[in-house]
Amino acid sequence: MDTFALAVKYIPLVAIGLLPIMNPLSTVPLFLALTKRMSAHHKRQQALRACLYAYAILAAFLFMGNGIISLFGISLAGIRIAGGLIILVLAFRMLFSGEGEEASVESDPAEIKQAEIDFSFSPLAMPSLAGPGSIAVVMSYGSQIPQAHQMVGYVVVLAGIFITIAIAFLALISANWLAKFLGEHGIQAVTKIMGFLLTCVAVQFIASGVREFIITFS
């Protein structure tokens, strides 16, 4: 019973840690640009597929994380610090330039026939929703799962990812309304707030890794 209560407590914490780096609102302008000539049904389909692909990508990296650690001989503390540094760089970019990961997508929507191409996997799912920052966060969470409670730990992280993806889906299907309600400056303001929260998450990951290094060497 205590394990179940603890699991329920950690699920929202995982979602809160992942949400700022995924930042679905930063994907809204990209989604609007790529789907502006599509029907409402096709837009909803693209949003659903993008979210399903993003969930599959993050889940795959969650389970493959330990294998990658073993294969390359990387310590858990190293994964946490590296993940924290990647997230910190992305957070600073969001804070000081107002840009999320979607800025790295070089496709020019005006040059593409929107009605004929499926954008759900790339660039919407990857690198926009499930980019390197999101993958680093998921792998960092995976590295913190206790050996004695691995099954419960994976369920907790998967549930947290699901909540975050569900929020992303709601943001994408509400893209037209959000764009009108927030406006360009509103979306930039939310991105900067997400950037600050993301900085806090990154510092926590780095501090946790450094602490583990000190304990190991001492």
Side-chain angles (χ1 to χ4, degrees):
M1 187 67 180
D2 291 338
T3 305
F4 178 76
L6 200 62
V8 171
K9 174 187 173 184
Y10 277 108
I11 288 172
L13 294 178
V14 172
I16 290 169
L18 183 58
L19 188 61
I21 181 62
M22 185 177 289
N23 190 11
L25 285 177
S26 69
T27 309
V28 167
L30 177 67
F31 181 78
L32 285 170
L34 293 173
T35 62
K36 63 183 176 182
R37 296 179 187 173
M38 294 180 183
S39 65
H41 173 72
H42 200 179
K43 284 182 181 180
R44 189 181 182 88
Q45 205 173 49
Q46 288 287 291
L48 180 60
R49 284 181 185 172
C51 291
L52 289 175
Y53 284 140
Y55 185 84
I57 291 166
L58 294 178
F61 273 95
L62 172 65
F63 289 110
M64 286 165 47
N66 289 331
I68 293 170
I69 289 170
S70 302
L71 181 64
F72 292 100
I74 305 168
S75 69
L76 299 182
I79 285 286
R80 287 173 192 165
I81 293 173
L85 290 173
I86 291 170
I87 297 165
L88 193 61
V89 170
L90 295 171
F92 282 158
R93 190 171 71 182
M94 291 166 67
L95 273 172
F96 298 116
S97 70
E99 296 178 347
E101 289 184 9
E102 82 288 350
S104 62
V105 179
E106 297 177 356
S107 303
D108 183 1
E111 298 176 357
I112 302 172
K113 295 180 181 178
Q114 284 86 346
E116 299 175 6
I117 299 179
D118 183 0
F119 300 108
S120 56
F121 186 83
S122 178
L124 291 176
M126 184 180 249
S128 194
L129 291 176
S134 300
I135 290 169
V137 170
V138 168
M139 286 184 65
S140 297
Y141 279 133
S143 72
Q144 296 180 57
I145 296 174
Q147 290 288 334
H149 302 287
Q150 274 203 330
M151 186 177 291
V152 175
Y154 282 125
V155 170
V156 167
V157 178
L158 287 172
I161 295 172
F162 178 80
I163 291 171
T164 311
I165 291 294
I167 294 171
F169 176 69
L170 291 174
L172 292 183
I173 62 173
S174 307
N176 288 326
W177 180 83
L178 281 173
K180 290 177 183 176
F181 179 74
L182 293 176
E184 185 181 345
H185 295 295
I187 290 176
Q188 286 183 3
V190 172
T191 298
K192 288 183 184 295
I193 292 169
M194 290 289 189
F196 173 74
L197 294 175
L198 192 53
T199 304
C200 299
V201 172
V203 169
Q204 188 64 46
F205 276 136
I206 294 170
S208 175
V210 170
R211 177 177 174 274
E212 212 167 299
F213 268 132
I214 292 171
I215 291 171
T216 302
F217 287 119
S218 61

